[in-house]
């Protein structure tokens, strides 16, 4: 993320941030090749945050992002979350991600949790039914 966003606007979790009880991480692969990952962070009993969703550049266009997102949405519903939110970049690099989230019903929203307004960030949320 540091290659595409200013350091002060990078909110990706590092390994220690992913290794806390309120975060669950899933990966997707092909044989021994890791192709993508996604994490779900519990903000409170009714609100989850989509974190660290990435697919390998060589694997893009194969629908892996949609599969990861569908998995997280199903898990959020299973957990009884009423809402799932995310922060992503405002830069052109992140346009495919924002398009994918919008396709699944996410809408832009104000900052949530501990986030602050940032011109390099886009905040989105989805009410789960």
């Amino acid at each position: 993320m540091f290659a595409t966003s200013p350091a002060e606007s990078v909110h990706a979790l590092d390994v220690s941030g992913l290794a806390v009880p309120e975060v669950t991480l899933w990966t997707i692969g092909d044989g021994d090749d890791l192709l993508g990952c996604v994490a779900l962070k519990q903000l409170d009993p009714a609100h989850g945050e989509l974190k660290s969703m990435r697919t390998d550049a060589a694997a893009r266009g194969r629908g892996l992002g949609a599969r990861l997102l569908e998995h997280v949405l199903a898990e959020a519903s299973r957990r009884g979350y009423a809402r799932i939110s995310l922060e992503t970049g405002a830069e052109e690099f992140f346009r495919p991600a924002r398009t994918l989230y919008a396709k699944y019903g996410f809408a832009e929203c104000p900052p949530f949790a501990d986030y602050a307004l940032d011109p390099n960030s886009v905040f989105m949320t989805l009410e789960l039914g």
Side-chain angles (χ1 to χ4, degrees), residues 38-49:
V38 66
L40 180 60
K41 179 179 181 181
Q42 181 170 313
L43 299 175
D44 64 49
H47 190 189
E49 180 182 3

Side-chain angles (χ1 to χ4, degrees), residues 22-34:
E22 60 270 14
V23 175
T24 306
L25 174 72
W26 296 273
T27 61
I28 192 167
D30 184 8
D32 291 336
D33 297 327
L34 179 63

Side-chain angles (χ1 to χ4, degrees), residues 1 4-5 54-55 60 89-98:
M1 297 292 86
T4 58
S5 299
R54 296 282 296 160
T55 56
R60 294 202 179 120
E91 296 89 352
E92 184 63 26
F93 176 83
F94 296 98
R95 181 181 300 280
R98 294 190 309 268

